[in-house]
Amino acid sequence: MTLTILAAVFVVVVTSNILSVYQLRRSRAGPNKEITPNKEITPYKEITTLNHRATITVLILSTLFCLLNITFMIVLGCNVSKTCLPSSLLGWFSFWIAIPLNSCLNPCVYFARKRDMRDYVREVWRRCRGRKVLSFRRGTYKR
């Protein structure tokens, strides 16, 4: 039962990512201008560039998800069917390395692919570096 549920979740995630990529690729053939939520007119070339970058980002995230989670699915299948390869090392790798690595790599992919994310992190880093060390003398602190 557990294997069926996990396999269904895996299929749903992969299918939704494929559909997202399909929609993003299809949206490249659109009107010459589009109105953004802040009521500015965005040129078509900028929209297609954003869609292209979003498509690549979704493909990268989907590939990472599949590669890093397929080992867990294999180990779970071997444990349920009581067959296959000795899964102790593969199980340890998939549970303690691959799945957390997938979660860890997602922000790294967004940081590498999205300029807004890089700008935000730089701004936060600049603010953190500009602050003085907190001093807790007599119940007060200095900034």
Side-chain angles (χ1 to χ4, degrees):
M1 182 69 171
T2 305
L3 181 61
T4 307
I5 293 170
L6 286 174
V9 168
F10 189 80
V11 168
V12 166
V13 169
V14 170
T15 304
S16 66
N17 286 335
I18 290 170
L19 290 174
S20 296
V21 169
Y22 173 74
Q23 284 294 100
L24 286 167
R25 296 291 293 169
R26 201 175 98 179
S27 69
R28 293 179 82 175
N32 287 338
K33 295 181 186 240
E34 196 170 295
I35 299 177
T36 59
N38 57 358
K39 306 288 189 232
E40 295 177 2
I41 296 177
T42 306
Y44 176 70
K45 184 175 180 176
E46 185 178 333
I47 291 169
T48 56
T49 302
L50 290 173
N51 284 346
H52 180 70
R53 288 189 60 80
T55 303
I56 292 172
T57 303
V58 168
L59 282 172
I60 292 169
L61 292 171
S62 300
T63 304
L64 284 172
F65 175 82
C66 289
L67 290 175
L68 294 172
N69 287 302
I70 196 72
T71 58
F72 182 72
M73 298 296 289
I74 291 169
V75 168
L76 192 61
C78 288
N79 287 340
V80 168
S81 66
K82 307 274 191 242
T83 60
C84 297
L85 28 125
S87 61
S88 62
L89 182 60
L90 188 60
W92 179 86
F93 172 78
S94 67
F95 189 74
W96 293 107
I97 303 293
I99 292 175
L101 187 61
N102 180 41
S103 298
C104 181
L105 287 176
N106 284 344
C108 296
V109 169
Y110 284 117
F111 183 78
R113 301 283 308 156
K114 292 187 68 146
R115 179 174 291 148
D116 293 343
M117 180 91 157
R118 289 190 301 271
D119 292 342
Y120 174 76
V121 170
R122 282 187 195 119
E123 179 63 24
V124 169
W125 180 254
R126 186 187 61 76
R127 286 183 193 171
C128 290
R129 281 191 359 215
R131 289 188 182 173
K132 296 179 183 175
V133 179
L134 296 177
S135 171
F136 292 101
R137 294 184 197 153
R138 292 186 227 167
T140 62
Y141 64 92
K142 297 178 185 177
R143 286 188 177 209

